Structure formats: C-alpha cells, structure tokens
C-alpha cells in the first residue's frame, strides 16, 4: 500500500497505537481550547502523533479555515497518515465556523413522504463530504442511524433521520450514497441502536429492555441497510441491552460486536467505540480495562481514551499475558489500513518520486469548496419544506413597543445568536427590543419584566450532557405567563418538534407560531421572514461599533 508500511513489520506498540484516536481542538492555540479537560494541548498532541504514533485525531471547534491548517500540521507530524474525524452530522459548519450548517436530520423525516427527501439526504451527504475534504477531514462520524422513537431521548433526538426504522434506513442510505462519491469514510452510529432511551450515555449507562424480535424489527434495520450500502465504519453505543448481552454494555460486549455485528450481520469494516471518557463507561470501568475489554469484544478503534499512552501500554501488556492475541491486533490494523488507503490524498500519500520539490501539494484549505451557493440554497430548501407556520404576526402599531424574548439553555453556548442573527435583527427592524434568558447566569423569573407585546422564541433540542429533552419547566413557565397576561404576539420554536408538540395544546388558536428544526441563522431567517408580516422599511442607522 502506497505510503503505508506492512502491518506485520511494525512493532507491537506501533500496531496498538494505530488503534487509538485522540481528541484535539480545531483551534491552533492551546488557550483557545473550549474543552481543555478532553482536548490535548499541542505539545501532548504532537507527542501522541510523533512518538506514540496514534492512528487518528478527532477535532472539534475553530473555524473551517484554521482547521485546514490544523489538519495539514497533524499530517505533517505523522509518519503514518492519520484518520482525522469529526462529528459533522449536520454539516461541517456544525463544528467549524464558516462552513455549511444544515438543519438536523430529523427535518428530513418531516418531509419523508415527498420525493425530494431522499434527494436532499444524498445532496447533504455529498456536501458534507466535499466540505470535510476541503479542510483535511477524511472521516465523517455520520450518519446517525438510530431510530428516535422516544420523544424523551435527551441525546439522539433531532440528530436521527426519523422515528421509524424504514424512514431512517432509506434516508441514511441516501446520505451514505452521497458521501461515497468522494474519498471519505462514513460511520453508522450508535450500534445496536440508541433511539429508545431517556438516559444520556454521556452521563449514565442507559438500558434498552426490548427483546431480540423487537431489536430485529426496529433498532437493527437501519444498520443492516447501512452495511448493505457500504458504510465504512460502525460506532458502538454505550448501552446495556440484556437481550444481546446481560452482563456487558454493547461497547464491551463480544456477543454484540463479534457475534451479532461481525458474524450475523456480516460487517467487516471498522468498528469504533463511542468516546471512552463518557460516563456510561468511565463510571463503571477503569480506562485501561475498558480499552482491553473493547478490543476483546471486537472493536478496532478506541475513541478518546482518557490516557492514550497508558492505554497503549495496557493493551500491549494484555497481549503479553495472553488476554489478546497478536493476530487480534493485526486484524484491526489491517482494517484500519484498508480505510486509510481509501482516504489517502496527495496531501497524505507518499510522492511517486524521491524529489519532494516535484510533488505539488494542494493548499490546506480549498475555500471554493466551502459554503457554496447551491449548498446554502439546500439549507433554505430543507428548512422551507420542513418548517411549520400558522398565521402571521402583524407589524407593531405606530408608537407601540414590543419585545422578543429568546429562551436558551445557556447564553454562553449559543453561537447561532449574535446582534446580526435574524432572530434578533429581523424583529429589531420592526421595533422589537430583545432579551436573552436562560436557566443559568441570565435567568429571570416570569413576571419580573414589564408587561408588553412579546414575541417568544424558544431554542430547545436534545443535546449531549444536557440530560433532558424537550421543553424545560422554566421555558414553559414563561410561555404560560405571557399567554395568561394576554401579551403573547407569537411563538417560534427552533429545534425539537417534541417541544412544539408540548406547547400546541396550550397555545390559543389566534396566536401565530412558527417552527424550524434548525437553530442556525439561515433557518431563523426563513422562518421569521414567513411569520413576521412586512413592516414599512426604516432608514438604516449608521452606527459605528468598532
């Protein structure tokens, strides 16, 4: 294989290191890391790549442009080309600013009975693959093939492509087909199915109580479809599924990963664990034992072990004492080599001749491949097709004051809101003041603000580590207070349809509302442009801010 040494010629430690994928920030500088407890500082990251020889890196945060520089630097550090992954289920812009951020996949479920739904899924997969490659990513940790049939699911929720096995299977196969047009890896997750749980595996170990017949009819169907479609990798779920293994969580279960996934379902691609630092595993197993158990179960890649060097040493020791065979390690390395061969590009492959100056290396960022006009139009098309609008909010009367209240989980983690975001700027053009309220540092109880005509905008969706799904009691209290004070001009919900469904029975028929699966500015603009009646244009203010 060009650019890759023969696995058998590598020492055991080098083979084992290839099974490890570490987490790093997409930002270039250590002080910019958003999650320093999980993201290695640059010196340690360089050590992991150059000295330990880890097989890959998962990135989060930063702009698309700087991630292009980052991935080039990482590959330059590596003797063996790296797999560089990211959770880009909703587009590269979901994680890296400047690239395209699509509405969440559940938006396609809302229009799944229309012929364009599968076309949208294919275009979405292709666009994400194109933008990933443009900045040096070669492994998409997508699509989510879980069936979100539990409205209380706090972690899958709108990340799923649907609420039935058939819809999820059809749409995710279309997504995979779109991505496979380009040399990237795709990943079906989270095996054997994380959709029907009300517990977040980032925090605790969920239990799926269903029998095998039910699993065969629902949870496993989209994985079978993804395997048939040629998906490159399957990510495990940190779940307890007694029908498959009464003793071990799926990530550490040989009956689940080897018996079911490998042997019964015939999957011979990469099996990657979900992050081993997640509470569902770390609360019950030590970091080194968890890594060895995952390999014994049939995993090939260990994602985000807490201590990469210690994990490599522990696995080598497990081989020396006979818990793991050398052949078991080599099997995984050979699968990783096949994956790396697929995604190797001129940036990572060895030049065909020894003169480096003769090799034309592409620039680290293919800017022209990011946020193209047709991709931006795809955002608008999906939002328009899947949104809900009832009625229209008339302009404020002359001299009338109004406010828009924006309810979020935490104002410090809302990159989709700024002074130019449509959720703020469009109401402002019609005379509304704005206020952001959350349940943390910017919490204000209902009744503490002057009563005035109010547009209520609620940003609510299931998110990892949040622990709950849907509308919290705080937001519900605000909604009821404004409604009872007869000052509710309209409601917009961005994110979860389950949040909207919890409000509709209590929303007076005469109050207009809008709903969008997407929370990002592009979706805000589409929904508010439809919900807010056009007001006479005001002369723009020439305020210099910087």
């Amino acid at each position: 294989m060009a650019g890759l040494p023969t696995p058998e010629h590598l020492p055991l430690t080098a083979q084992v290191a290839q099974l490890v994928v570490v987490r790093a920030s997409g930002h270039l500088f250590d002080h910019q890391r958003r999650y320093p407890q999980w993201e290695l500082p640059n010196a340690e990251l360089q050590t992991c790549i150059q000295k330990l020889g880890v097989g890959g890196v998962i990135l989060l945060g930063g702009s698309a442009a700087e991630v292009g520089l980052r991935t080039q630097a990482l590959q330059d550090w590596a003797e063996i080309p790296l797999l560089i992954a990211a959770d880009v289920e909703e587009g590269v812009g979901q994680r890296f600013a400047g690239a395209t951020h699509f509405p969440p996949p559940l938006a396609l479920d809302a229009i799944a009975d229309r012929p364009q739904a599968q076309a949208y899924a294919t275009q979405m997969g292709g666009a994400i693959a194109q933008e990933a490659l443009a900045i040096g990513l070669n492994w998409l940790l997508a699509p989510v093939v879980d069936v979100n049939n539990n409205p209380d699911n706090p972690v899958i929720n709108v990340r799923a492509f649907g609420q039935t096995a058939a819809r999820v299977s059809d749409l995710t196969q279309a997504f995979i087909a779109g991505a496979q047009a380009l040399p990237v890896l795709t990943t079906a997750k989270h095996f054997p199915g994380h959709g029907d749980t009300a517990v977040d595996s980032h925090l605790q170990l969920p239990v799926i109580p269903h029998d095998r017949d039910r699993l065969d009819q629902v949870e496993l169907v989209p994985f079978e479809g993804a395997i048939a479609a040629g998906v490159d990798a399957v990510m495990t779920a940190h779940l307890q599924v007694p029908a498959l293994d009464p003793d071990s969580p799926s990530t550490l279960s040989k009956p689940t990963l080897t018996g079911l996934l490998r042997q019964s379902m015939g999957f011979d691609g990469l099996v990657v664990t979900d992050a081993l630092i997640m509470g569902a595993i770390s609360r019950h197993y030590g970091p080194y034992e968890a890594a060895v158990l995952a390999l014994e179960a049939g995993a090939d890649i260990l994602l985000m072990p807490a201590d990469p060097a210690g994990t490599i040493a522990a696995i080598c020791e497990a081989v020396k004492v006979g818990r793991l065979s050398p052949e078991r390690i080599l099997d995984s390395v050979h699968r990783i080599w096949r994956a790396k061969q697929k995604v190797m590009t001129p940036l990572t492959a060895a030049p065909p001749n020894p003169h480096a100056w003769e090799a034309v290396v592409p620039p680290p960022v293919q800017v022209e491949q990011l946020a193209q006009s047709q991709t931006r139009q795809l955002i608008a098309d999906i939002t328009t097709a899947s949104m809900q609008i009832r009625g229209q909010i008339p302009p404020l009367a002359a001299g009338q004051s109004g406010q828009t209240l924006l309810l979020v989980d935490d104002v410090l983690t809302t990159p989709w809101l700024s002074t130019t975001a449509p959720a703020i700027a469009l109401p402002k053009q019609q005379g509304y003041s704005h206020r952001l309220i959350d349940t943390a540092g910017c919490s204000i109880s209902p009744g503490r603000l002057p009563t005035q005509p109010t547009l209520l905008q609620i940003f609510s969706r299931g998110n990892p580590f949040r622990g709950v799904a849907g509308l919290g009691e705080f937001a519900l209290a605000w909604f009821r207070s404004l409604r009872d004070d007869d000052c509710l001009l309209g409601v917009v919900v961005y994110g979860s349809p389950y949040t909207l469904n919890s409000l509709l029975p209590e929303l007076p028929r005469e109050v207009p509302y809008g709903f969008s699966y997407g929370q990002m500015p592009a979706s805000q603009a589409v929904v508010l442009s439809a919900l807010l009646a056009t007001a006479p244009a005001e002369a723009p203010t020439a305020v210099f801010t910087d």
Side-chain angles (χ1 to χ4, degrees), residues 75-448:
Q75 295 289 9
D76 287 345
W77 288 344
E79 183 177 348
I80 297 173
L82 297 167
L83 295 177
I84 304 183
D87 281 304
V88 287
E89 303 157 5
E90 299 168 27
V92 174
Q94 178 188 11
R95 303 300 184 191
F96 310 113
T100 304
H101 188 175
F102 289 103
L106 199 61
L108 296 177
D109 178 60
I111 57 171
D113 56 348
R114 305 180 199 176
Q116 67 264 41
Q118 289 199 38
Y120 286 161
T122 301
Q123 293 170 41
M124 187 173 166
I128 293 173
Q130 173 181 294
E131 293 196 358
L133 287 174
I135 61 172
L137 304 174
N138 53 31
W139 189 2
L140 313 181
L141 298 182
V144 171
V145 304
D146 302 310
V147 181
N148 196 72
N149 46 18
N150 186 336
D152 295 324
N153 193 317
V155 63
I156 302 302
N157 206 273
V158 296
R159 299 165 62 196
F161 278 81
Q163 303 172 83
T164 66
R167 284 190 174 180
V168 172
S169 190
D170 289 345
L171 291 171
T172 52
Q173 287 181 66
F175 179 99
I176 291 166
Q180 283 179 334
L182 294 162
V184 297
L185 303 182
T186 54
T187 309
K189 60 186 187 182
H190 308 79
F191 187 80
H194 204 318
D196 196 1
T197 173
V199 175
D200 183 354
S201 55
H202 292 83
L203 304 174
Q204 299 289 343
L205 180 64
V207 177
I208 303 295
H210 304 305
D211 61 25
R212 179 58 190 270
D213 287 344
R214 152 61 192 256
L215 296 175
D216 287 339
Q217 294 169 12
V218 179
E219 278 76 11
L220 296 178
V221 171
F223 288 97
E224 293 170 342
I227 292 169
V231 75
D232 302 286
V234 170
M235 179 180 284
T236 69
H238 301 330
L239 302 169
Q240 190 81 48
V241 189
L244 300 178
D245 187 336
D247 301 316
S248 300
S250 297
T251 296
L252 312 181
S253 168
K254 189 170 185 177
T256 302
L257 301 189
T258 298
L260 176 59
L261 182 58
R262 290 278 190 222
Q263 297 173 355
S264 297
M265 300 177 71
F267 180 65
D268 194 36
L270 292 176
V271 175
V272 54
T273 71
D274 207 343
L276 292 175
I277 60 168
M278 290 166 59
I281 297 297
S282 63
R283 287 174 178 267
H284 303 278
Y285 299 88
Y288 310 133
E289 180 66 8
V292 173
L293 288 171
L295 295 179
E296 286 181 324
D300 298 304
I301 289 184
L302 306 171
L303 182 63
M304 293 174 60
D307 175 7
T311 296
I312 293 168
I315 295 168
C316 290
E317 181 63 23
V319 174
K320 291 176 183 177
V321 301
R323 281 189 66 181
L324 292 167
S325 69
E327 293 75 21
R328 171 68 194 84
I329 302 301
L330 273 173
D331 284 346
S332 289
V333 176
H334 279 291
R335 291 191 188 98
I336 293 168
W337 256 227
R338 291 201 298 269
K340 290 191 173 186
Q341 185 67 58
K342 174 180 177 177
V343 303
M344 284 174 64
T345 68
L347 184 64
T348 56
N353 60 71
H355 303 294
W357 55 268
E358 294 183 39
V360 178
V361 178
V365 184
Q366 310 293 319
V367 176
E368 71 281 359
Q369 301 295 322
L370 300 175
Q372 294 181 333
S373 58
Q374 65 266 32
T375 309
R376 301 283 298 170
Q377 184 60 48
L378 182 58
I379 299 174
D381 291 343
I382 295 173
T383 300
T384 301
S386 61
M387 72 180 181
Q388 299 181 39
I389 298 289
R390 184 182 80 186
Q392 202 169 45
I393 302 172
L396 296 171
Q400 184 182 26
S401 63
Q403 65 177 349
T404 180
L405 296 184
L406 301 99
L407 303 188
V408 300
D409 287 333
D410 186 343
V411 298
L412 297 179
T413 57
T414 54
W416 57 87
L417 288 177
S418 68
T419 55
T420 60
I424 293 173
L426 293 183
K428 183 179 180 181
Q429 290 174 9
Q430 298 201 11
Y432 291 84
S433 62
H434 68 271
R435 183 182 291 271
L436 273 69
I437 301 175
D438 67 9
T439 57
C442 295
S443 176
I444 300 176
S445 300
R448 296 288 301 275

Side-chain angles (χ1 to χ4, degrees), residues 25-28 32 59-71 92-93 95-99 135 137 365 370:
S25 171
H27 288 292
L28 296 177
Q32 294 179 291
L59 295 175
L60 174 66
S63 72
E66 67 183 316
V67 168
L69 298 173
R70 181 72 146 161
T71 57
V92 174
R95 303 300 184 191
F96 310 113
I135 61 172
L137 304 174
V365 184
L370 300 175

